[in-house]
Amino acid sequence: MERLKQRRKAMHYTQEQLAELVNAKKTTISNYETGYSSPNNEMLRDLADVLHTTVDYLLGRSDNPVSLEAAGAQAIPDFATRKDVKDFKTFLNQQEVMFDGVPLTAEEKARVLGYMESMFWDAKRMNKRPKRDSES
């Protein structure tokens, strides 16, 4: 699992440190990273949690290494309609996140998008409030 190794290094963990955090042995982590063995579902979830990523990223089914939860994202609010969720996904996919003309790393982008998500849902919530009749 090359992505496990990449993520471990991005988080500045040694194999030994990661093993300790997921209650495993260093050789187990080494075996996962070299592809000699594969983690079971529970271990995969534990690794994703410790590395602030998703199981999908570790398995190669997503290219975003940072989970939205780790980036400070919030759950989809109860008031959100299907259209709201579709609008939100469109909103996220349209974002080219840069700072001073320099693209952000995936982790930095995920954090920024987490904040933007909060603002998006706040705006949607405000737009769904009943409007007061203006007084003359």
Side-chain angles (χ1 to χ4, degrees):
M1 294 185 74
E2 182 62 29
R3 287 187 170 194
L4 173 63
K5 182 178 182 178
Q6 290 171 352
R7 191 70 189 146
R8 175 181 60 79
K9 287 184 173 191
M11 298 293 293
H12 306 288
Y13 289 133
T14 64
Q15 286 182 342
E16 188 173 352
Q17 290 169 326
L18 179 58
E20 186 175 318
L21 291 168
V22 296
N23 198 26
K25 295 180 180 179
K26 177 186 179 276
T27 55
T28 302
I29 301 301
S30 176
N31 288 340
Y32 295 159
E33 288 183 0
T34 60
Y36 184 74
S37 65
S38 298
N40 63 28
N41 289 341
E42 184 179 348
M43 177 60 75
L44 201 52
R45 283 191 302 269
D46 290 347
L47 289 165
D49 287 346
V50 167
L51 296 172
H52 301 287
T53 192
T54 63
V55 170
D56 282 346
Y57 176 77
L58 293 176
L59 294 175
R61 297 189 311 198
S62 168
D63 290 330
N64 185 0
V66 181
S67 69
L68 287 177
E69 293 80 15
Q74 58 191 41
I76 295 172
D78 293 339
F79 66 80
T81 65
R82 284 185 179 163
K83 182 183 181 316
D84 292 337
V85 173
K86 182 180 176 192
D87 289 347
F88 174 67
K89 288 181 179 178
T90 300
F91 170 76
L92 283 184
N93 289 329
Q94 290 176 347
Q95 303 308 310
E96 178 68 28
V97 183
M98 298 182 137
F99 179 75
D100 200 22
V102 178
L104 300 179
T105 67
E107 287 184 42
E108 293 166 336
K109 181 178 178 182
R111 287 183 60 205
V112 169
L113 292 177
Y115 295 123
M116 292 173 72
E117 176 183 7
S118 179
M119 291 185 295
F120 178 91
W121 291 122
D122 286 346
K124 283 286 188 181
R125 181 179 296 111
M126 290 179 71
N127 286 334
K128 290 184 183 295
R129 287 187 311 187
K131 303 214 181 339
R132 292 190 211 174
D133 291 333
S134 59
E135 297 177 12
S136 303

